[in-house]
Amino acid sequence: QVQLIESGGGLVQAGDSLRLSCVVSGRMSYGGMAWFRQRPGKERELVTHIYWYSASTYYIDDVKGRFTISRDMGENTLHLQMDNLKPEDTAKYYCAASSARYLTRRPDDWTYWGQGTQVTVSS
C-alpha cells in the first residue's frame, strides 16, 4: 500500500524559498503525484502535479515560474521547490498520489494523502 510522508514546511519571509519533500513507501507503477494546498477557510486546491514515469507536469497559474515539482524515481521521493514565496502561498501543503491513467485537479480523484506540512509566509 502507498504511504506518503511529507516534510519541509516552515515560517519564512516573502521572497524566500522552501523545499518540500514527500517520501513514498510502496512504489508507483503508474499514475502520478501532486501537491495540494489548503488555505484557512478555503477548499483544498491543486498546486501542481507530475506523471511519475514521463515527468510531465502541470502548474496552476499562481505558481508558474516560482514553484517546481520533481520526482526522484530512484529515491521514490517527490519534491516541491518553492521560490519567491508570497504571503498568498501561506497554506497547509499536502502530498498526494494517484494510480489513475490521467491526473486531475479534483482532490476526490486522488487516493493517497500525506499528513500535510504548514507553510507560512510573512510579509
Side-chain angles (χ1 to χ4, degrees), residues 2-4 24-33 50 52-53 73 76 96-100 103 110 112:
V2 175
Q3 292 182 316
L4 312 178
V24 182
S25 63
R27 307 191 82 172
M28 296 287 291
S29 298
Y30 54 90
M33 300 188 69
I50 184 169
W52 189 253
Y53 289 100
M73 193 173 294
N76 226 33
S98 173
S99 60
L103 306 180
W110 295 79
Y112 307 103

Side-chain angles (χ1 to χ4, degrees), residues 1 4 7-9 18-19 25 29 36-37 43 48 57 59-60 65 69 75 78 82 93-94 97 100 102-103 118 122:
Q1 190 79 313
L4 312 178
S7 62
L18 281 174
R19 180 173 176 265
S25 63
S29 298
F36 287 77
R37 68 185 178 188
E43 294 184 354
T48 175
T57 60
Y59 299 90
I60 60 172
I69 188 171
E75 295 182 358
L78 181 74
M82 303 186 294
Y93 284 73
Y94 296 87
Y102 300 108
L103 306 180
Q118 180 68 35
S122 63

Side-chain angles (χ1 to χ4, degrees), residues 41-112:
K42 289 201 167 187
E43 294 184 354
R44 194 169 300 184
E45 66 173 348
L46 178 74
V47 178
T48 175
H49 65 57
I50 184 169
Y51 284 87
W52 189 253
Y53 289 100
S54 73
S56 178
T57 60
Y58 166 83
Y59 299 90
I60 60 172
D61 289 343
D62 288 351
V63 307
K64 286 181 179 176
R66 299 190 298 118
F67 290 10
T68 304
I69 188 171
S70 62
R71 92 279 189 262
D72 188 323
M73 193 173 294
E75 295 182 358
N76 226 33
T77 303
L78 181 74
H79 300 284
L80 182 64
Q81 179 66 42
M82 303 186 294
D83 296 322
N84 192 24
L85 282 161
K86 303 177 179 179
E88 309 93 85
D89 297 319
T90 295
K92 194 168 186 179
Y93 284 73
Y94 296 87
C95 175
S98 173
S99 60
R101 182 178 181 184
Y102 300 108
L103 306 180
T104 78
R105 296 164 56 90
R106 300 179 178 181
D108 288 348
D109 291 339
W110 295 79
T111 304
Y112 307 103

Side-chain angles (χ1 to χ4, degrees), residues 6-12 18-21 82 91 93 117-120:
E6 65 241 85
S7 62
L11 173 63
V12 298
L18 281 174
R19 180 173 176 265
L20 307 184
S21 297
M82 303 186 294
Y93 284 73
T117 184
Q118 180 68 35
V119 172
T120 302

